[in-house]
Amino acid sequence: MAFDLAAVASALAAYTGHRGWVTDPRKGYRVPDRVRNDPVLTHRANRLVATWCLLAAGLASAPVIAVVPALMSEFRLDSTTGFLAVAAAYALVVGAIARYPFARIQHL
């Protein structure tokens, strides 16, 4: 369920970047004034968010697509400590990918 939420949140951020709203104060995110005032940096910020958040949404959807059919069938998944550790590490990677464009925008 957490991966579903991450996929939806990342897809929403990607949509915001695709529409060009990243630097819009009402619809977008907090960005430095130099990025908001420069059209080239604004375009780059929108492209960064759209690309990286779409990637994060796809990666967050992968475990859902892989695990849900197994849960719906008679096949039983064991939630061992190793499985949970791998899932947590994967979630950290997806979170880092989703956070990357926003950190990069601060340094544009």
Side-chain angles (χ1 to χ4, degrees):
M1 184 138 197
F3 283 110
D4 286 336
L5 183 60
V8 169
S10 295
L12 181 61
Y15 177 73
T16 302
H18 177 71
R19 298 293 294 176
W21 296 338
V22 171
T23 57
D24 186 350
R26 290 175 289 136
K27 298 177 185 176
Y29 305 102
R30 273 189 226 167
V31 296
D33 288 335
R34 67 182 181 282
V35 175
R36 185 176 294 119
N37 296 330
D38 185 0
V40 173
L41 292 178
T42 297
H43 176 71
R44 191 167 176 198
N46 286 320
R47 199 177 71 226
L48 275 170
V49 172
T51 303
W52 286 93
C53 288
L54 185 62
L55 175 64
L59 289 174
S61 299
V64 175
I65 294 169
V67 171
V68 168
L71 292 175
M72 295 298 201
S73 70
E74 295 177 14
F75 179 68
R76 175 120 168 92
L77 288 176
D78 293 331
S79 31
T80 62
T81 304
F83 177 76
L84 295 176
V86 169
Y90 187 76
L92 287 173
V93 169
V94 171
I97 289 172
R99 179 73 181 116
Y100 172 75
F102 299 103
R104 183 74 179 112
I105 288 171
Q106 298 300 322
H107 298 288
L108 285 178

